[in-house]
Amino acid sequence: MKSLKENLLGGEAAEQLPRTRREAFVFYGKQQFWKLLICGAFTSLFFAPLLGWLYAMNYVKAQAIAALDVGAADYADLYGQLLLGWSLKTYLVSVPLVMLFFVGLGGLFGLVKRICFYQSSGYGQYFASIKDSWFHFALWGMLFGISMFFLRFNVTFYTVSKFSPIAKGLLSGFAAVQFALVAVATMYFVTGDVTYRYTMWQSVKNAFLLTFGGLAQNILFAAVGLAPFVVALFVPSPFQTLLLAVAGLVYLSFLSLLWTNYCQGVYDRTINCQLGADCVGRGLAKAQQGDVVGNM
């Protein structure tokens, strides 16, 4: 396995590169606009099974609710049981589908890392990155899927339970906090694993350690990135399907570019500076490195 430093080096020399990570987001977004869109579309194919499943289950729930007798004495209990059963099935089955989606993200983030490092970034690199990282990304996808299940099922459970309002608020808050932390750590995992080729344990540990460094800003960037997907989980069909489809086809590629540039700025300050000057500011104007490390 190559060292961290060897995995960072090997890019092409270039002039007129951006000076900051913020400039890099705009620069590479314009320069590679169509490639980003096309690779985002590739990745949406890995997202499609999850999208189809959520659409189908929303339809099933709507039909089941419509079949209930609103005037029945036990309507509230039947409605609660229906929601619990639906939520349990929907989000348990979603876990392997989220894993498949993350396999596609391995290709997207691997390619975007090469774009942001100003390295060769042909379409073949997308599939090469999937080959290199699919196992790690699938495992992280399992963690993300379980976290999402814990959020959605438990929020449903607490809503229909007879717990006190305080208990419901505390338990729902805990479910939301754990998902928020996993979401932020996801940002560092998907960018860090393709950059340094860590072992799985190193990638997980590094993701969570960096999550708590500058937590408020990390949450902001993760929230901006995941907002369309998280909001869609609470939107009724067919609007949920439409929102997720747009996010998958258009938003994914530029989310990967945003997160990669933000996280590379963090890596420059925390990891790359320890590996040597050549590893700092990859994809930026090297003559200005000292002025721009970590800027976003």
Side-chain angles (χ1 to χ4, degrees), residues 142-222:
M142 180 170 64
L143 173 64
F144 190 91
I146 291 172
S147 177
M148 185 177 74
F149 164 78
F150 189 75
L151 171 67
R152 289 299 290 122
F153 176 74
N154 282 281
V155 167
T156 302
F157 174 73
Y158 303 143
T159 300
V160 303
S161 72
K162 300 185 185 302
F163 292 164
S164 70
I166 294 177
K168 288 181 179 181
L170 290 174
L171 293 171
S172 297
F174 175 75
V177 167
Q178 65 82 27
F179 181 78
L181 292 177
V182 170
V184 174
T186 295
M187 180 174 66
Y188 284 112
F189 181 89
V190 295
T191 57
D193 192 76
V194 297
T195 298
Y196 301 107
R197 301 299 180 191
Y198 288 131
T199 64
M200 185 62 193
W201 168 242
Q202 287 173 321
S203 289
V204 172
K205 180 177 70 172
N206 194 64
F208 279 106
L209 286 175
L210 288 172
T211 291
F212 290 98
L215 183 59
Q217 184 168 294
N218 287 335
I219 290 176
L220 174 63
F221 270 86

Side-chain angles (χ1 to χ4, degrees), residues 91-152:
Y91 292 102
L92 271 181
V93 174
S94 291
V95 173
L97 300 180
V98 172
M99 293 172 67
L100 177 63
F101 175 40
F102 268 76
V103 170
L105 289 180
L108 181 62
F109 276 91
L111 179 70
V112 171
K113 182 267 295 186
R114 297 186 66 86
I115 288 174
C116 292
F117 280 10
Y118 207 79
Q119 294 175 327
S120 172
S121 56
Y123 291 108
Q125 294 295 336
Y126 178 92
F127 300 101
S129 184
I130 288 179
K131 180 180 178 181
D132 291 339
S133 61
W134 73 269
F135 184 63
H136 283 192
F137 273 70
L139 289 179
W140 188 270
M142 180 170 64
L143 173 64
F144 190 91
I146 291 172
S147 177
M148 185 177 74
F149 164 78
F150 189 75
L151 171 67
R152 289 299 290 122

